[in-house]
Amino acid sequence: MNKTQQQISEGILFTDQYQLTMAQLYYRIGLHEKKAQFDYFFRDYPDYGSHKSGYCVNAGLEWLLDWMGEARFGALEIEQLKSQRSSTGEQLFADDFLDWLSKNGNFESVTLYSIPEGRVVHPNTPLAVVQGDLAMAQILETSLLNHLTYQTLIATKASRMKDNCCSQLLMEFGLRRAQERAAIAGTRAALIGGADFSSNVGISHVLGIPPKGTHAHSMVQVFLALGATELDAFRAFAEIYPDDCILLVDTINTLESGVPNAIRVFEELRKKGHQPAGIRLDSGDLAFLSIHSAKQLNDAGFPDAKIVLSNQLDELAIWQITSQIQREAERYGVDPDSLLDRLAYGVGTGLITSKGDAALDGVYKLVALEEEGQWIPAIKISETPQKTLIPGNKRLWRVYDERGKATADLIALHDEDVENLDPLVLRHPSLTSMRRALTKDQFSKIEPLLLPVFDGGKPVYQSPSIEEMRTQRQDDLKMLDPGVRRLVNPHIYHVSISQTLWDLKKNLVQKYERNNA
Amino acid sequence: MNKTQQQISEGILFTDQYQLTMAQLYYRIGLHEKKAQFDYFFRDYPDYGSHKSGYCVNAGLEWLLDWMGEARFGALEIEQLKSQRSSTGEQLFADDFLDWLSKNGNFESVTLYSIPEGRVVHPNTPLAVVQGDLAMAQILETSLLNHLTYQTLIATKASRMKDNCCSQLLMEFGLRRAQERAAIAGTRAALIGGADFSSNVGISHVLGIPPKGTHAHSMVQVFLALGATELDAFRAFAEIYPDDCILLVDTINTLESGVPNAIRVFEELRKKGHQPAGIRLDSGDLAFLSIHSAKQLNDAGFPDAKIVLSNQLDELAIWQITSQIQREAERYGVDPDSLLDRLAYGVGTGLITSKGDAALDGVYKLVALEEEGQWIPAIKISETPQKTLIPGNKRLWRVYDERGKATADLIALHDEDVENLDPLVLRHPSLTSMRRALTKDQFSKIEPLLLPVFDGGKPVYQSPSIEEMRTQRQDDLKMLDPGVRRLVNPHIYHVSISQTLWDLKKNLVQKYERNNA
């Protein structure tokens, strides 16, 4: 692709064709500048098959806002659309509509509210609320979902891994097997969600987080092919990187060749006054090899040398390795806790592709239209009651119980004074019998979650740094019941709607059913 | 991200950190300009869990070549690397190495051979052969794998879907749930692999394939929210797109509201001299609803109106739907074959994320180093015999049997005269007992598969058009035994090595084992 082609494919035409055909229809019948509200939410947590998440980590917003600020129908884009033909050969998009697009085809009419990146989020709650002219708010759908769902998916996966590697270093290594340039956004999301570092050089520099990496098997192979040895390869590496010397020890035989050779080189480094960094294991039974490598390193006087594990890791593999070490290490004279403390994890494909569930089922639904300055709720009924939309101009709140733990996310109408309700009624969005009423002393805080982030064609929000997002994520995770954080079969976090919203929804459903009876 | 940040993250720094630390090591010991050969191959077909592919469709090459032609270490990239620090605070990449990179840090030294896009390919065969200066050939690894494996994965998934939708239209609808900008490459790969059209506007224009799409539920919802009806919405749409009128019929109730309303609008269109295009079903039991929608359309005199199916489709879902129609349609007075002929399929998440297996396990391995003008084979031994590398400077051939069917892919040394071997010995890469010897009359053709595609810093190859790649794919698929194309439990296609290569590998393994005994 050349630069022009990249502009065409990544700009405002990074959308679905039907958004444009609908926009032209709205233009034709005079609804294109009618104010509409769409909610973005996802329907369920990622389900990885044998395990499932009990929470997600929100991500992707900053780059969506960048895209919204830049994307518009310029001459290049209009020229593309003008070339489209109906099946009978006429111009598909009429000149008057294209004129309107070339003047108004940007996001200046759109106001976006969103929950910040790094926050823990839950299904069926509005994570972004879009208010704007119907035509452009409709065109936004595809790119908004694309930007937000992918990064949220990867940040969530990273958080699950980080949460299960005993607070040790987690490194993202997935660029080679990633979905082409999604690797860049995926790396960012991984760094928000739990990865401490990434091997991906370019985006690490952009984000100000040093890229990490040492050497591959191919380096040892080059030495072997030239008649030299693994030890020669290790010595050459240590010579150049004496203070960052992580040696990959499994090219020939981990315990009989790699670790003993690494120890010789570490001894040489130490004599020269350097601190050897550690070894990396990239094949075989990683728990077994960790224990036995640790034993050799301990016996040789390197109890602090790190052991980096890589190869097909995901959160379950990390859990399996840490469990096996806890069970077996002592039998070989290795203290399991000190071993777990010296481990680090390099995760590739399993993180960057969200192994087991490669897409978050995000949706973007019309919930209100403005009539004479008032937001009129729109509803869509589904035969599955859980899929019936929650209508209206809403906001999202997080309710903390008397212990300070997050007890529910509450969806309420935008003008409800939820902080002063007593009791605060939390209703299940669709099941009548499931409701709680909290008196003032049963909750400690109600926190509004949606902030205005885009208005008048530009971001109106200073995105937090990656470091701030990580702190936010850790704070939110601490507020969750530990059962919600379980890898397998997590507790279900409560997502509730207010009594007022419940009544509104019920009335709309009844009205709809009367009309269609 | 701003433009500079995009340049940093998508250019030559779209690589792993360890490629750079190894490159500096090669520079320091004087091996950086030694000629090396790396093979790209994948280890196994995609395994989707309950089903598995028996072939792959190669894709991604053209954009890799574009990247290789542009990517280089310019001032911006050098500045980034200069800022990296070792753990003791020194400059990680030394000035002399950075000087070398700024002069030689491009792919002018690299010659790339590859199999063209659209061709059917198999595991453990060299699909790309890289020859070049060791440092830059090493740095290339990450981006090459990233570009080739993802598009091959998606082209393969698309081919499986197309192969099971009875030759009817297959449309790619995945942009919203795709992995961020990978949607663009993924759409291209889907169009190579079997999708006829995509909803993704920008990249469709770039590739010269008209984007497809009609309307969403939200359009009907807008009408409902304003007090109008589904019929009003359909009429408005038909008014504007009379010759491309595909109506989404499941917003309220498919068989009681959507289809009857569509039929009324179709009758009105016909009176005005237009040919109604069809309906789309996006929820529920798609096979059941297709049959009953077809019956209503037939009874109303619209037997040619298309029925587009979407919602969570993948190759198994398409197979289930076509099977159910074949079993059940007649019972309701609908001819199954005519119904299957009028169906079209819109596939979203399941295609663009390769549902069930989100990464192809591509690898890039050192197989030879040049010494005094000769390629000296390099080998890497694995405890798993199948993972022991096939060493040396090799080429790939496809052997067609006496019926003209592809019977094996043959890996041979680059200077073997395989076309004139009699018998032609095909050996399993690792199992001694598995060999075939074909006499001249037992095969009809031997076709070389690797072409020179990049040399001297630029592509030396005119990429075929998407249409030509599709033709190539169809031709290659016809040459496969039908068992290899099965969705579930496919036959295993033979990948073989020549007798000369077998002997070379055996000698190298024995020599290696003597040295390490």
Side-chain angles (χ1 to χ4, degrees), chain B residues 283-358:
Chain B
S283 58
D285 178 338
L286 294 178
F288 176 87
L289 292 172
S290 305
I291 294 169
H292 291 273
S293 300
K295 184 155 175 56
Q296 291 190 28
L297 288 165
N298 291 349
D299 291 350
F302 297 99
D304 298 324
K306 289 271 173 211
I307 301 175
V308 182
L309 307 182
S310 54
N311 191 28
Q312 312 264 2
L313 295 184
D314 67 0
E315 62 269 51
L316 284 199
I318 291 172
W319 184 24
Q320 180 274 318
I321 289 166
T322 56
S323 303
Q324 188 178 340
I325 287 172
Q326 276 157 341
R327 261 197 331 269
E328 295 182 6
E330 261 175 357
R331 190 188 314 161
Y332 300 101
V334 171
D335 175 52
D337 293 332
S338 353
L339 174 50
L340 293 175
D341 280 350
R342 76 202 283 187
L343 294 181
Y345 302 87
V347 287
T349 317
L351 172 51
I352 203 79
T353 66
S354 184
K355 185 178 167 188
D357 194 352

Side-chain angles (χ1 to χ4, degrees), chain A residues 481-495:
Chain A
D481 182 296
V484 173
R485 294 165 71 171
R486 273 202 303 258
L487 281 190
V488 173
N489 208 11
H491 269 167
I492 292 172
Y493 182 83
H494 281 200
V495 168

Side-chain angles (χ1 to χ4, degrees), chain A residues 39-164:
Chain A
D39 284 357
Y40 155 63
F41 58 93
F42 64 90
R43 289 203 192 276
D44 203 355
Y45 300 110
D47 185 338
Y48 310 102
S50 54
H51 50 125
K52 183 172 178 171
S53 198
Y55 68 92
C56 283
V57 174
N58 195 51
L61 179 63
E62 184 177 346
W63 289 7
L64 170 67
L65 299 182
D66 288 346
W67 184 87
M68 288 174 66
E70 292 285 329
R72 61 196 60 240
F73 288 91
L76 186 62
E77 288 81 7
I78 297 291
E79 182 193 327
Q80 304 302 317
L81 297 188
K82 207 176 161 94
S83 74
Q84 286 198 31
R85 291 287 170 271
S86 78
S87 62
T88 48
E90 289 107 55
Q91 195 172 312
L92 188 69
F93 297 107
D95 286 336
D96 57 346
F97 171 62
L98 293 177
D99 279 350
W100 180 83
L101 266 191
S102 69
K103 292 191 190 81
N104 304 282
N106 56 55
F107 297 110
E108 281 175 31
S109 81
V110 167
T111 303
L112 181 67
Y113 299 84
S114 176
I115 183 164
E117 296 184 269
R119 294 223 64 159
V120 163
V121 292
H122 301 282
N124 301 305
T125 63
L127 303 179
V129 168
V130 174
Q131 295 176 340
D133 289 353
L134 178 57
M136 289 309 298
Q138 181 70 64
I139 287 172
L140 177 59
E141 175 182 21
T142 307
S143 180
L144 182 143
L145 290 174
N146 175 284
H147 278 90
L148 299 182
T149 56
Y150 173 59
Q151 286 204 37
T152 298
L153 182 78
I154 303 303
T156 302
K157 193 77 169 176
S159 181
R160 289 166 62 76
M161 292 184 181
K162 182 70 181 175
D163 217 12
N164 281 279

Side-chain angles (χ1 to χ4, degrees), chain A residues 1 5-6 8-10 13-22 24-26 28-29 31 34 63 66 80-81 83-84 86-88 90 92-93 134 138 141-142 145-147 149-150 175-185 199-203 205-206 211-219 221-223 225-226 236-237 240-241 243-244 251-253 280 349 353 358-363 366 369 371 378-381 383 389 512 516, chain B residues 1 5-6 8-10 13-22 24-26 28-29 31 34 63 66 80-81 83-84 86-88 90 92 134 138 141-142 145-147 149-150 175-185 199-203 205-206 211-219 221-223 225-226 236-237 240-241 243-244 251-253 280 349 353 358-363 366 369 371 378-381 383 389 512 516:
Chain A
M1 277 212 294
Q5 292 174 326
Q6 194 168 4
I8 293 171
S9 57
E10 296 183 3
L13 299 184
F14 190 71
T15 193
D16 287 308
Q17 171 79 356
Y18 76 6
Q19 314 289 15
L20 303 178
T21 49
M22 285 192 284
Q24 173 165 263
L25 181 143
Y26 296 139
R28 192 63 64 222
I29 61 180
L31 289 180
K34 189 166 194 65
W63 289 7
D66 288 346
Q80 304 302 317
L81 297 188
S83 74
Q84 286 198 31
S86 78
S87 62
T88 48
E90 289 107 55
L92 188 69
F93 297 107
L134 178 57
Q138 181 70 64
E141 175 182 21
T142 307
L145 290 174
N146 175 284
H147 278 90
T149 56
Y150 173 59
L175 175 52
R176 66 188 54 204
R177 302 269 176 82
Q179 278 85 356
E180 212 237 10
R181 281 175 303 153
I184 299 168
S199 65
N200 186 334
V201 181
I203 185 62
H205 276 283
V206 166
K212 294 288 177 192
T214 54
H215 74 89
H217 297 114
S218 60
M219 188 199 82
Q221 267 185 280
V222 166
F223 278 78
L226 295 173
F237 193 82
I240 302 172
Y241 305 107
D243 301 302
D244 302 87
T251 305
I252 296 169
N253 181 302
R280 178 160 74 96
T349 316
T353 65
L360 186 73
D361 62 345
V363 295
L366 179 78
L369 283 169
E371 291 271 16
I379 196 162
K380 179 176 185 290
I381 309 294
E383 286 163 39
L389 275 185
Y512 177 92
N516 290 274
Chain B
M1 277 210 296
Q5 293 174 326
Q6 194 167 6
I8 293 171
S9 58
E10 295 183 4
L13 299 184
F14 190 71
T15 193
D16 287 308
Q17 172 79 354
Y18 76 6
Q19 314 290 13
L20 303 178
T21 49
M22 286 193 283
Q24 173 164 263
L25 181 144
Y26 296 140
R28 193 60 66 222
I29 61 178
L31 289 180
K34 188 165 195 66
W63 288 6
D66 288 347
Q80 304 302 317
L81 298 188
S83 73
Q84 286 199 31
S86 77
S87 62
T88 49
E90 288 107 55
L92 188 68
L134 179 56
Q138 181 70 64
E141 176 181 23
T142 308
L145 290 174
N146 176 283
H147 278 89
T149 57
Y150 173 59
L175 175 53
R176 67 190 52 205
R177 303 268 176 85
Q179 278 85 359
E180 215 238 11
R181 281 176 301 154
I184 299 169
S199 65
N200 186 333
V201 181
I203 186 62
H205 276 284
V206 166
K212 293 288 176 194
T214 54
H215 74 89
H217 297 113
S218 61
M219 188 198 83
Q221 268 184 279
V222 166
F223 279 78
L226 295 173
F237 193 82
I240 301 172
Y241 306 108
D243 302 301
D244 302 87
T251 305
I252 297 170
N253 181 303
R280 177 159 74 97
T349 317
T353 66
L360 186 72
D361 61 345
V363 294
L366 179 77
L369 284 168
E371 291 272 15
I379 196 162
K380 178 176 186 290
I381 309 294
E383 285 163 41
L389 275 186
Y512 177 92
N516 290 277

